Structure formats: C-alpha cells, structure tokens
C-alpha cells in the first residue's frame, strides 16, 4: 500500500511539472528565433526580458505633431499571455510594453484618450538589439522596440518603431508601416506619415537602471 501511494505521488509530481513546464527564451531578438511554432506544440514558451531593457521606456512622454499635442504613457507588463497561434498549441507568454496616449488639438481640446478606449492602446512586440561583436551581454550599439497601434475597430493599425536617446530623455516613434481596413477612411492627421515620427520628451522621473 505504501509503495502504491508513493507511486501515485511521484506520478502526480511529474504531471504537475509537465503542466508548469515552459521554455524561457530571451525577448531580445526573439523575432529571429526559428522553430517557435514547433516548440509551442510541445511546451509553453516565455519570451523574457532577461537583460531588463524594457523598464527604461516606462513613463510619461510629451511632444507635438501637426499642431496636435501628444501625451503618451508607457507601462511594462510582465509575462503577458498572447493569443494562441494555432488550436492545440501551448501558451506563449511575453514581457511587453503598453502605450496609451492622449491627443489634444491646437486649442487644447482633448480629441482622443486611449486610456478610456483600451482597444486603441498600443501593444509592444519585438525588441531588436545589435550588440558589439554580436555577443550576448556586450555593449549595445543599436536598439529599437516595435509597437502596434490600432486606430479603429475595423482593423486599421499602424506599426511604430521606438528608439530611445542615449540619455533616455527623448523617445522617437517612427511610422514603419500601416494596415488600412477596406472601409476605413484616411489616418487622422495627428498620425505621422511613412517614416515620419512623433518625437517625445520624458516628463516623468527617470527610471531606475534595473526593475
């Protein structure tokens, strides 16, 4: 009887381990990771910001574009579970940034506040980093982070590449691409044109080096 109970406990522990098993992959340059879809068929995957690069983007940022004032707030979300890519695959988790923003016209009138329209908040994606000598942990030469910003509920969205200045006081959000739904109108005039940018200045306290 005692051996039987021990066997059951061992089986239960193995089952729990399988349920909690996950593969941790660095978020940095994970867009180039090959075999992710096949891996998700076998186990859960967590794209983790192991170098703590995302916290420095957090805070409030302010700038202007085409006569409009832009006030953006960036927050960090740890281990967000993304939608399954295929039925039957394991969960995909990722550290990511969220971007909410307000737009005011030239008279100071608020014309958009995505904090009140969560479906229009920007969602972070890939973190691209070029390091000296291509070595992990080496000095960073270039770094960018991609955001997707929905513009309506029809599927129109823009893709922006975020780049921080060396002193972390300026954030450039450059329009990289756009998807316009068939029955949608033109993009609002406060949205940058292709390869144009929102250039925003940090108005919140500087973040700590690690978080």
């Amino acid at each position: 009887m005692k051996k039987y109970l021990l066997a059951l406990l061992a089986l239960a522990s193995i089952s729990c381990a399988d349920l909690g098993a996950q593969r941790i992959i660095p978020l940095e340059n994970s867009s180039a990771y090959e075999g992710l879809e096949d891996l998700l068929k076998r186990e859960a995957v967590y794209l983790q910001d192991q170098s703590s690069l995302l916290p420095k983007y957090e805070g409030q940022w302010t700038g202007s574009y085409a006569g409009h004032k832009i006030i953006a707030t960036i927050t960090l979300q740890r281990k967000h579970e993304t939608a399954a890519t295929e039925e039957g695959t394991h969960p995909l988790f990722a550290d990511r940034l969220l971007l909410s923003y307000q737009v005011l016209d030239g008279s100071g009138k608020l014309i958009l506040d995505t904090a009140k329209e969560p479906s229009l908040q920007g969602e972070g994606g890939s973190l691209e980093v070029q390091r000296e000598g291509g070595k992990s942990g080496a000095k960073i030469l270039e770094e960018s982070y991609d955001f997707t910003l929905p513009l309506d509920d029809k599927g129109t969205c823009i893709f922006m590449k975020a780049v921080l200045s060396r002193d972390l006081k300026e954030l450039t959000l450059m329009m990289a691409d756009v998807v316009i739904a068939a029955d949608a109108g033109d993009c609002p005039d406060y949205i940058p044109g292709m390869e144009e940018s929102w250039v925003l200045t940090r108005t919140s306290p500087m973040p700590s080096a690690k978080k």
Side-chain angles (χ1 to χ4, degrees):
M1 182 66 177
K2 184 177 180 181
K3 290 182 179 180
Y4 178 71
L5 289 173
L6 289 174
L8 284 178
L9 288 171
L11 180 61
S13 65
I14 292 172
S15 299
C16 290
D18 289 341
L19 288 172
Q22 64 179 16
R23 178 75 60 90
I24 297 178
I25 296 173
L27 176 67
E28 184 176 320
N29 299 325
S30 60
S31 61
Y33 186 85
E34 296 181 359
L36 181 59
E37 291 186 2
D38 289 337
L39 187 59
L40 285 170
K41 293 176 182 178
R42 302 192 299 272
E43 58 187 330
V45 174
Y46 176 19
L47 304 179
Q48 187 180 50
D49 178 25
Q50 296 180 342
S51 299
S52 295
L53 298 178
L54 295 185
K56 63 179 179 285
Y57 292 86
E58 286 191 282
Q60 188 172 86
W61 303 85
T62 302
S64 60
Y65 181 83
H68 294 84
K69 184 176 183 180
I70 311 295
I71 303 173
T73 301
I74 296 177
T75 55
L76 174 61
Q77 186 177 38
R78 293 285 188 187
K79 204 172 183 180
H80 167 75
E81 182 175 356
T82 65
T85 53
E86 294 181 15
E87 186 176 351
T89 59
H90 291 272
L92 173 63
F93 302 94
D95 294 335
R96 67 173 188 170
L97 297 173
L98 297 177
L99 188 155
S100 61
Y101 61 98
Q102 296 177 325
V103 180
L104 290 75
D105 66 16
S107 68
K109 179 182 178 182
L110 181 66
I111 59 177
L112 176 65
D113 184 355
T114 63
K116 297 179 180 178
E117 299 184 58
S119 63
L120 299 183
Q121 291 187 15
E123 298 182 350
S126 60
L127 173 66
E128 305 300 327
V129 182
Q130 181 181 342
R131 293 183 180 271
E132 198 170 60
K135 298 178 180 178
S136 177
K139 179 182 178 181
I140 295 176
L141 302 177
E142 293 183 17
E143 176 184 326
S144 64
Y145 185 76
D146 294 339
F147 282 104
T148 301
L149 275 64
L151 298 183
D152 55 36
D153 58 0
K154 300 175 182 178
T156 301
C157 60
I158 62 173
F159 302 90
M160 305 187 87
K161 184 178 293 293
V163 177
L164 272 171
S165 61
R166 293 287 183 182
D167 61 7
L168 308 183
K169 294 180 180 180
E170 186 175 275
L171 176 69
T172 299
L173 288 162
M174 185 185 76
M175 167 79 92
D177 203 355
V178 60
V179 174
I180 301 177
D183 56 347
D186 295 332
C187 289
D189 56 5
Y190 54 78
I191 295 297
M194 289 301 299
E195 298 188 0
E196 294 182 348
S197 306
W198 286 345
V199 180
L200 309 178
T201 301
R202 186 187 294 277
T203 54
S204 59
M206 294 288 286
S208 56
K210 294 280 184 177
K211 187 172 181 180

Short mmCIF file of all heavy atoms in Angstrom, two decimals, residues 77-123:
data_model
loop_
_atom_site.label_atom_id
_atom_site.label_comp_id
_atom_site.label_asym_id
_atom_site.label_seq_id
_atom_site.Cartn_x
_atom_site.Cartn_y
_atom_site.Cartn_z
N GLN A 77 4.39 45.34 -18.83
CA GLN A 77 3.53 44.21 -18.46
C GLN A 77 4.38 42.94 -18.52
O GLN A 77 4.90 42.58 -19.58
CB GLN A 77 2.34 44.10 -19.41
CG GLN A 77 1.31 43.06 -19.02
CD GLN A 77 0.11 43.05 -19.94
OE1 GLN A 77 0.24 43.24 -21.15
NE2 GLN A 77 -1.06 42.84 -19.39
N ARG A 78 4.53 42.29 -17.39
CA ARG A 78 5.34 41.08 -17.32
C ARG A 78 4.51 39.84 -17.64
O ARG A 78 3.36 39.71 -17.23
CB ARG A 78 5.93 40.91 -15.91
CG ARG A 78 6.95 41.96 -15.52
CD ARG A 78 8.28 41.75 -16.20
NE ARG A 78 9.32 42.65 -15.67
CZ ARG A 78 10.53 42.76 -16.20
NH1 ARG A 78 10.85 42.04 -17.25
NH2 ARG A 78 11.41 43.58 -15.67
N LYS A 79 5.10 38.95 -18.39
CA LYS A 79 4.57 37.62 -18.69
C LYS A 79 3.10 37.68 -19.15
O LYS A 79 2.24 36.99 -18.63
CB LYS A 79 4.71 36.70 -17.47
CG LYS A 79 4.73 35.21 -17.86
CD LYS A 79 5.08 34.33 -16.69
CE LYS A 79 5.16 32.87 -17.14
NZ LYS A 79 5.48 31.95 -16.03
N HIS A 80 2.86 38.50 -20.15
CA HIS A 80 1.53 38.57 -20.75
C HIS A 80 1.30 37.33 -21.63
O HIS A 80 2.18 36.93 -22.40
CB HIS A 80 1.41 39.82 -21.61
CG HIS A 80 0.22 39.84 -22.51
ND1 HIS A 80 -1.06 40.06 -22.04
CD2 HIS A 80 0.10 39.65 -23.85
CE1 HIS A 80 -1.91 40.01 -23.05
NE2 HIS A 80 -1.23 39.76 -24.16
N GLU A 81 0.13 36.74 -21.50
CA GLU A 81 -0.20 35.57 -22.33
C GLU A 81 -0.83 36.05 -23.63
O GLU A 81 -1.87 36.70 -23.64
CB GLU A 81 -1.16 34.62 -21.61
CG GLU A 81 -1.46 33.38 -22.44
CD GLU A 81 -2.33 32.36 -21.70
OE1 GLU A 81 -2.63 32.60 -20.51
OE2 GLU A 81 -2.70 31.35 -22.32
N THR A 82 -0.18 35.75 -24.74
CA THR A 82 -0.68 36.16 -26.04
C THR A 82 -1.69 35.14 -26.55
O THR A 82 -1.79 34.03 -26.04
CB THR A 82 0.46 36.29 -27.07
OG1 THR A 82 1.03 34.99 -27.29
CG2 THR A 82 1.55 37.21 -26.55
N ALA A 83 -2.43 35.53 -27.56
CA ALA A 83 -3.43 34.62 -28.15
C ALA A 83 -2.71 33.45 -28.81
O ALA A 83 -1.64 33.61 -29.40
CB ALA A 83 -4.28 35.37 -29.17
N ALA A 84 -3.31 32.29 -28.72
CA ALA A 84 -2.71 31.09 -29.32
C ALA A 84 -2.63 31.25 -30.84
O ALA A 84 -3.56 31.76 -31.48
CB ALA A 84 -3.55 29.86 -28.97
N THR A 85 -1.50 30.84 -31.41
CA THR A 85 -1.34 30.94 -32.85
C THR A 85 -2.11 29.85 -33.58
O THR A 85 -2.65 30.07 -34.66
CB THR A 85 0.15 30.84 -33.23
OG1 THR A 85 0.69 29.64 -32.63
CG2 THR A 85 0.93 32.03 -32.69
N GLU A 86 -2.19 28.68 -32.99
CA GLU A 86 -2.93 27.58 -33.58
C GLU A 86 -3.66 26.82 -32.49
O GLU A 86 -3.22 26.79 -31.34
CB GLU A 86 -1.98 26.61 -34.31
CG GLU A 86 -1.29 27.19 -35.54
CD GLU A 86 -0.39 26.17 -36.20
OE1 GLU A 86 -0.51 24.96 -35.88
OE2 GLU A 86 0.44 26.57 -37.03
N GLU A 87 -4.76 26.20 -32.86
CA GLU A 87 -5.52 25.41 -31.89
C GLU A 87 -4.68 24.22 -31.44
O GLU A 87 -4.05 23.54 -32.24
CB GLU A 87 -6.83 24.92 -32.53
CG GLU A 87 -7.74 24.22 -31.55
CD GLU A 87 -9.06 23.82 -32.17
OE1 GLU A 87 -9.33 24.24 -33.31
OE2 GLU A 87 -9.82 23.08 -31.51
N GLY A 88 -4.65 24.02 -30.14
CA GLY A 88 -3.90 22.88 -29.61
C GLY A 88 -2.48 23.20 -29.22
O GLY A 88 -1.78 22.34 -28.67
N THR A 89 -2.01 24.43 -29.47
CA THR A 89 -0.65 24.77 -29.08
C THR A 89 -0.63 25.23 -27.63
O THR A 89 -1.64 25.59 -27.05
CB THR A 89 -0.08 25.89 -29.97
OG1 THR A 89 -0.91 27.05 -29.84
CG2 THR A 89 -0.01 25.47 -31.42
N HIS A 90 0.56 25.23 -27.04
CA HIS A 90 0.73 25.67 -25.67
C HIS A 90 0.77 27.19 -25.61
O HIS A 90 0.98 27.86 -26.62
CB HIS A 90 2.02 25.06 -25.09
CG HIS A 90 1.93 23.58 -24.90
ND1 HIS A 90 1.45 23.00 -23.74
CD2 HIS A 90 2.25 22.55 -25.73
CE1 HIS A 90 1.48 21.69 -23.86
NE2 HIS A 90 1.95 21.38 -25.05
N PRO A 91 0.59 27.77 -24.41
CA PRO A 91 0.58 29.23 -24.29
C PRO A 91 1.92 29.86 -24.63
O PRO A 91 2.98 29.27 -24.42
CB PRO A 91 0.23 29.46 -22.80
CG PRO A 91 -0.37 28.18 -22.33
CD PRO A 91 0.28 27.10 -23.13
N LEU A 92 1.85 31.08 -25.16
CA LEU A 92 3.03 31.90 -25.40
C LEU A 92 2.93 33.13 -24.50
O LEU A 92 1.97 33.89 -24.58
CB LEU A 92 3.10 32.33 -26.87
CG LEU A 92 4.20 33.34 -27.22
CD1 LEU A 92 5.58 32.73 -26.97
CD2 LEU A 92 4.08 33.79 -28.67
N PHE A 93 3.92 33.29 -23.63
CA PHE A 93 3.96 34.43 -22.72
C PHE A 93 5.09 35.36 -23.16
O PHE A 93 6.08 34.92 -23.76
CB PHE A 93 4.23 33.97 -21.28
CG PHE A 93 3.21 33.01 -20.74
CD1 PHE A 93 3.43 31.63 -20.82
CD2 PHE A 93 2.05 33.46 -20.15
CE1 PHE A 93 2.49 30.74 -20.32
CE2 PHE A 93 1.11 32.57 -19.64
CZ PHE A 93 1.34 31.21 -19.72
N ALA A 94 4.94 36.63 -22.86
CA ALA A 94 5.99 37.58 -23.22
C ALA A 94 5.94 38.81 -22.32
O ALA A 94 4.87 39.27 -21.92
CB ALA A 94 5.85 38.01 -24.68
N ASP A 95 7.12 39.33 -21.98
CA ASP A 95 7.20 40.65 -21.37
C ASP A 95 6.97 41.66 -22.49
O ASP A 95 7.50 41.49 -23.60
CB ASP A 95 8.59 40.87 -20.75
CG ASP A 95 8.85 39.95 -19.58
OD1 ASP A 95 7.88 39.49 -18.94
OD2 ASP A 95 10.04 39.68 -19.30
N ARG A 96 6.20 42.69 -22.20
CA ARG A 96 5.91 43.67 -23.26
C ARG A 96 5.60 45.05 -22.66
O ARG A 96 5.35 45.17 -21.46
CB ARG A 96 4.73 43.22 -24.11
CG ARG A 96 3.40 43.20 -23.38
CD ARG A 96 2.25 42.91 -24.32
NE ARG A 96 0.95 43.07 -23.66
CZ ARG A 96 -0.22 43.06 -24.30
NH1 ARG A 96 -0.27 42.88 -25.60
NH2 ARG A 96 -1.35 43.22 -23.62
N LEU A 97 5.60 46.04 -23.52
CA LEU A 97 5.22 47.38 -23.14
C LEU A 97 3.84 47.71 -23.70
O LEU A 97 3.46 47.22 -24.78
CB LEU A 97 6.23 48.41 -23.68
CG LEU A 97 7.65 48.30 -23.16
CD1 LEU A 97 8.56 49.26 -23.92
CD2 LEU A 97 7.71 48.58 -21.66
N LEU A 98 3.09 48.51 -22.96
CA LEU A 98 1.80 49.02 -23.42
C LEU A 98 1.91 50.53 -23.56
O LEU A 98 2.56 51.20 -22.75
CB LEU A 98 0.69 48.67 -22.43
CG LEU A 98 0.41 47.17 -22.23
CD1 LEU A 98 -0.67 46.98 -21.17
CD2 LEU A 98 -0.02 46.51 -23.54
N LEU A 99 1.28 51.08 -24.58
CA LEU A 99 1.34 52.51 -24.85
C LEU A 99 -0.07 53.08 -24.94
O LEU A 99 -0.84 52.71 -25.82
CB LEU A 99 2.11 52.78 -26.14
CG LEU A 99 2.44 54.24 -26.49
CD1 LEU A 99 3.67 54.29 -27.39
CD2 LEU A 99 1.29 54.95 -27.19
N SER A 100 -0.41 53.95 -24.01
CA SER A 100 -1.67 54.68 -24.10
C SER A 100 -1.32 56.15 -24.35
O SER A 100 -0.24 56.61 -23.96
CB SER A 100 -2.50 54.55 -22.82
OG SER A 100 -1.82 55.07 -21.70
N TYR A 101 -2.20 56.86 -25.03
CA TYR A 101 -1.86 58.25 -25.35
C TYR A 101 -3.10 59.11 -25.47
O TYR A 101 -4.21 58.64 -25.72
CB TYR A 101 -1.03 58.31 -26.65
CG TYR A 101 -1.73 57.79 -27.88
CD1 TYR A 101 -2.35 58.66 -28.79
CD2 TYR A 101 -1.75 56.42 -28.18
CE1 TYR A 101 -2.97 58.18 -29.93
CE2 TYR A 101 -2.37 55.94 -29.31
CZ TYR A 101 -2.98 56.82 -30.20
OH TYR A 101 -3.61 56.34 -31.32
N GLN A 102 -2.87 60.39 -25.25
CA GLN A 102 -3.90 61.41 -25.42
C GLN A 102 -3.47 62.32 -26.57
O GLN A 102 -2.28 62.57 -26.77
CB GLN A 102 -4.06 62.25 -24.16
CG GLN A 102 -4.56 61.48 -22.95
CD GLN A 102 -4.64 62.37 -21.72
OE1 GLN A 102 -3.82 63.27 -21.53
NE2 GLN A 102 -5.64 62.14 -20.89
N VAL A 103 -4.46 62.82 -27.30
CA VAL A 103 -4.21 63.78 -28.37
C VAL A 103 -5.07 65.01 -28.10
O VAL A 103 -6.28 64.90 -27.90
CB VAL A 103 -4.55 63.20 -29.76
CG1 VAL A 103 -4.27 64.23 -30.85
CG2 VAL A 103 -3.76 61.92 -30.02
N LEU A 104 -4.42 66.18 -28.09
CA LEU A 104 -5.12 67.45 -27.91
C LEU A 104 -4.93 68.30 -29.16
O LEU A 104 -3.84 68.30 -29.75
CB LEU A 104 -4.59 68.21 -26.69
CG LEU A 104 -4.90 67.64 -25.29
CD1 LEU A 104 -4.03 66.43 -24.99
CD2 LEU A 104 -4.69 68.70 -24.23
N ASP A 105 -5.98 69.01 -29.57
CA ASP A 105 -5.84 69.87 -30.74
C ASP A 105 -5.17 71.18 -30.37
O ASP A 105 -4.75 71.39 -29.21
CB ASP A 105 -7.20 70.10 -31.42
CG ASP A 105 -8.18 70.89 -30.56
OD1 ASP A 105 -7.75 71.51 -29.57
OD2 ASP A 105 -9.39 70.89 -30.90
N GLY A 106 -5.04 72.08 -31.33
CA GLY A 106 -4.32 73.33 -31.10
C GLY A 106 -4.91 74.21 -30.03
O GLY A 106 -4.19 75.02 -29.42
N SER A 107 -6.21 74.05 -29.74
CA SER A 107 -6.84 74.85 -28.69
C SER A 107 -6.76 74.20 -27.33
O SER A 107 -7.24 74.76 -26.34
CB SER A 107 -8.31 75.10 -29.06
OG SER A 107 -9.05 73.88 -29.01
N GLY A 108 -6.16 72.99 -27.28
CA GLY A 108 -6.06 72.27 -26.02
C GLY A 108 -7.22 71.33 -25.75
O GLY A 108 -7.29 70.71 -24.69
N LYS A 109 -8.12 71.19 -26.72
CA LYS A 109 -9.27 70.30 -26.55
C LYS A 109 -8.84 68.85 -26.73
O LYS A 109 -8.14 68.51 -27.69
CB LYS A 109 -10.36 70.65 -27.57
CG LYS A 109 -11.59 69.75 -27.49
CD LYS A 109 -12.60 70.11 -28.56
CE LYS A 109 -13.81 69.18 -28.52
NZ LYS A 109 -14.78 69.49 -29.60
N LEU A 110 -9.26 68.00 -25.80
CA LEU A 110 -8.94 66.58 -25.87
C LEU A 110 -9.78 65.92 -26.96
O LEU A 110 -11.00 65.96 -26.92
CB LEU A 110 -9.22 65.91 -24.52
CG LEU A 110 -8.91 64.41 -24.41
CD1 LEU A 110 -7.42 64.15 -24.55
CD2 LEU A 110 -9.43 63.86 -23.09
N ILE A 111 -9.12 65.31 -27.94
CA ILE A 111 -9.86 64.66 -29.02
C ILE A 111 -9.72 63.13 -29.00
O ILE A 111 -10.47 62.43 -29.66
CB ILE A 111 -9.45 65.21 -30.40
CG1 ILE A 111 -7.96 65.00 -30.65
CG2 ILE A 111 -9.81 66.68 -30.51
CD1 ILE A 111 -7.51 65.46 -32.04
N LEU A 112 -8.76 62.64 -28.23
CA LEU A 112 -8.62 61.18 -28.10
C LEU A 112 -7.89 60.87 -26.79
O LEU A 112 -6.90 61.51 -26.46
CB LEU A 112 -7.83 60.59 -29.27
CG LEU A 112 -7.53 59.08 -29.18
CD1 LEU A 112 -8.83 58.27 -29.24
CD2 LEU A 112 -6.58 58.65 -30.28
N ASP A 113 -8.40 59.88 -26.07
CA ASP A 113 -7.75 59.38 -24.86
C ASP A 113 -7.89 57.86 -24.89
O ASP A 113 -8.94 57.30 -24.58
CB ASP A 113 -8.41 59.96 -23.61
CG ASP A 113 -7.70 59.54 -22.32
OD1 ASP A 113 -6.76 58.74 -22.41
OD2 ASP A 113 -8.08 60.04 -21.25
N THR A 114 -6.82 57.17 -25.28
CA THR A 114 -6.90 55.71 -25.44
C THR A 114 -7.02 55.00 -24.09
O THR A 114 -7.37 53.82 -24.06
CB THR A 114 -5.69 55.16 -26.21
OG1 THR A 114 -4.50 55.40 -25.46
CG2 THR A 114 -5.58 55.80 -27.58
N ALA A 115 -6.72 55.69 -22.97
CA ALA A 115 -6.91 55.08 -21.66
C ALA A 115 -8.39 54.77 -21.43
O ALA A 115 -8.73 53.86 -20.67
CB ALA A 115 -6.38 55.99 -20.56
N LYS A 116 -9.26 55.54 -22.10
CA LYS A 116 -10.70 55.32 -21.99
C LYS A 116 -11.22 54.43 -23.11
O LYS A 116 -12.40 54.08 -23.13
CB LYS A 116 -11.43 56.67 -22.01
CG LYS A 116 -11.07 57.56 -20.82
CD LYS A 116 -11.79 58.90 -20.89
CE LYS A 116 -11.42 59.78 -19.70
NZ LYS A 116 -12.08 61.11 -19.77
N GLU A 117 -10.33 54.08 -24.04
CA GLU A 117 -10.67 53.17 -25.13
C GLU A 117 -9.56 52.13 -25.24
O GLU A 117 -8.69 52.22 -26.11
CB GLU A 117 -10.82 53.94 -26.45
CG GLU A 117 -11.91 54.99 -26.44
CD GLU A 117 -12.08 55.65 -27.80
OE1 GLU A 117 -12.35 54.92 -28.78
OE2 GLU A 117 -11.94 56.88 -27.88
N PRO A 118 -9.58 51.15 -24.34
CA PRO A 118 -8.49 50.16 -24.27
C PRO A 118 -8.19 49.46 -25.59
O PRO A 118 -7.04 49.06 -25.82
CB PRO A 118 -9.00 49.16 -23.23
CG PRO A 118 -9.94 49.97 -22.37
CD PRO A 118 -10.61 50.92 -23.31
N SER A 119 -9.19 49.32 -26.46
CA SER A 119 -8.96 48.63 -27.73
C SER A 119 -8.03 49.42 -28.65
O SER A 119 -7.51 48.88 -29.63
CB SER A 119 -10.28 48.37 -28.45
OG SER A 119 -10.92 49.59 -28.78
N LEU A 120 -7.80 50.69 -28.34
CA LEU A 120 -6.92 51.53 -29.16
C LEU A 120 -5.54 51.73 -28.54
O LEU A 120 -4.71 52.45 -29.08
CB LEU A 120 -7.58 52.91 -29.39
CG LEU A 120 -8.92 52.91 -30.12
CD1 LEU A 120 -9.39 54.34 -30.34
CD2 LEU A 120 -8.82 52.18 -31.46
N GLN A 121 -5.29 51.08 -27.41
CA GLN A 121 -3.97 51.20 -26.79
C GLN A 121 -2.92 50.43 -27.60
O GLN A 121 -3.19 49.37 -28.15
CB GLN A 121 -4.01 50.67 -25.36
CG GLN A 121 -4.82 51.55 -24.42
CD GLN A 121 -4.71 51.11 -22.97
OE1 GLN A 121 -3.85 50.33 -22.62
NE2 GLN A 121 -5.58 51.63 -22.13
N GLY A 122 -1.73 51.00 -27.65
CA GLY A 122 -0.65 50.36 -28.39
C GLY A 122 -0.09 49.16 -27.62
O GLY A 122 0.04 49.21 -26.39
N GLU A 123 0.27 48.12 -28.35
CA GLU A 123 0.84 46.92 -27.75
C GLU A 123 2.23 46.69 -28.31
O GLU A 123 2.46 46.78 -29.52
CB GLU A 123 -0.05 45.71 -28.04
CG GLU A 123 -1.45 45.83 -27.44
CD GLU A 123 -2.30 44.60 -27.69
OE1 GLU A 123 -1.86 43.73 -28.49
OE2 GLU A 123 -3.38 44.48 -27.09
#
